[in-house]
Amino acid sequence: NAGVTQTPKFRVLKTGQSMTLLCAQDMNHEYMYWYRQDPGMGLRLIHYSVGEGTTAKGEVPDGYNVSRLKKQNFLLGLESAAPSQTSVYFCASSYSSSGGKNTGELFFGEGSRLTVL
Amino acid sequence: GQNIDQPTEMTATEGAIVQINCTYQTSGFNGLFWYQQHAGEAPTFLSYNVLDGLEEKGRFSSFLSRSKGYSYLLLKELQMKDSASYLCAVMDSNYQLIWGAGTKLIIKP
């Protein structure tokens, strides 16, 4: 049981380059999230999805785009990387309760460490 | 605005007890969560409180007072492997998690 898998785990980009982070989960979870984590700032939500084909903006969406074409995959794209996007990125998923609400118990991937020079 | 406060860093001794506090102000409340994050790793779920009172799970317990906007995580019989950051998060009225910055717990022999 792989859980939540992120690729790549490490990446170095030059300013202005683009890239895509891939997140895959095998738990049939409805909800998926992309967070960034910077020292002293905790987890900040970039974008999230409540189901296949739907996405929504989080707290810090600027400079990022996402897609969820399949329920198990959630892609995070950086269109034109900037040094301010140097961070650790975490993908997470969670399931719905019997009432259809988010349970809040998140399962995280191992993280993707991105450096933008 | 929404805000979650927890101490930045705490130090405790192996075998002792430590209490990590969390206070919150959020738009609505649908539960409070504690996550553990070892350095260089992903957060993992520890506990969930939605009603007032104490939830015990082995060496770890979590307490909630909704009227005071307050929670604490209690770790007993501390072990070196408990050295980690502990993240407090609240689920708001939109069922979204609002995260604190985390408390780094250092365990000394």
Side-chain angles (χ1 to χ4, degrees):
Chain A
N1 189 351
V4 179
T5 303
Q6 293 180 228
T7 54
K9 291 185 172 44
F10 300 92
R11 184 74 188 269
V12 178
L13 290 177
K14 294 181 179 179
T15 297
Q17 287 185 317
S18 62
M19 74 160 295
T20 300
L21 295 175
L22 172 63
C23 177
Q25 54 98 1
D26 61 2
M27 298 172 283
N28 201 36
H29 285 173
E30 291 295 330
Y31 298 85
M32 296 189 74
Y33 313 83
W34 276 107
Y35 287 96
R36 60 177 290 173
Q37 187 174 42
D38 302 291
M41 298 189 72
L43 289 165
R44 291 187 291 169
L45 183 64
I46 304 170
H47 287 279
Y48 65 99
S49 169
V50 300
E52 180 179 320
T54 70
T55 63
K57 294 180 179 180
E59 180 186 356
V60 288
D62 293 342
Y64 306 94
N65 57 74
V66 289
S67 64
R68 192 157 177 212
L69 300 179
K70 294 183 179 180
K71 186 177 184 179
Q72 63 268 34
N73 295 338
F74 196 31
L75 279 63
L76 178 71
L78 281 70
E79 299 158 342
S80 178
S84 61
Q85 293 178 305
T86 293
S87 188
V88 179
Y89 292 85
F90 285 103
C91 176
S93 69
S94 63
Y95 56 95
S96 302
S97 65
S98 57
K101 299 297 185 182
N102 185 7
T103 59
E105 182 179 347
L106 270 57
F107 296 79
F108 285 84
E110 294 180 337
S112 299
R113 285 154 181 76
L114 175 65
T115 301
V116 183
L117 302 175
Chain B
Q2 308 204 92
N3 192 52
I4 297 183
D5 288 319
Q6 50 181 133
T8 302
E9 186 174 297
M10 298 182 70
T11 302
T13 304
E14 189 177 17
I17 299 173
V18 71
Q19 177 176 310
I20 302 174
N21 296 326
C22 171
T23 58
Y24 64 89
Q25 289 181 309
T26 57
S27 302
F29 179 85
N30 283 299
L32 186 140
F33 299 78
W34 285 96
Y35 282 76
Q36 181 189 57
Q37 185 177 23
H38 286 101
E41 299 183 6
T44 56
F45 170 80
L46 279 180
S47 69
Y48 166 67
N49 294 68
V50 67
L51 299 176
D52 290 353
L54 189 67
E55 294 281 343
E56 296 186 79
K57 190 183 294 186
R59 294 188 299 114
F60 292 9
S61 302
S62 56
F63 171 83
L64 174 67
S65 170
R66 288 173 297 171
S67 63
K68 295 182 179 179
Y70 168 69
S71 172
Y72 67 73
L73 181 68
L74 191 71
L75 290 74
K76 301 177 183 177
E77 301 170 11
L78 286 170
Q79 302 175 8
M80 296 304 293
K81 67 178 182 179
D82 297 330
S83 292
S85 289
Y86 292 86
L87 313 180
C88 175
V90 172
M91 184 172 282
D92 68 9
S93 57
N94 294 319
Y95 288 86
Q96 294 300 323
L97 284 175
I98 310 301
W99 296 85
T103 298
K104 182 178 181 180
L105 178 63
I106 299 168
I107 310 296
K108 295 186 175 181

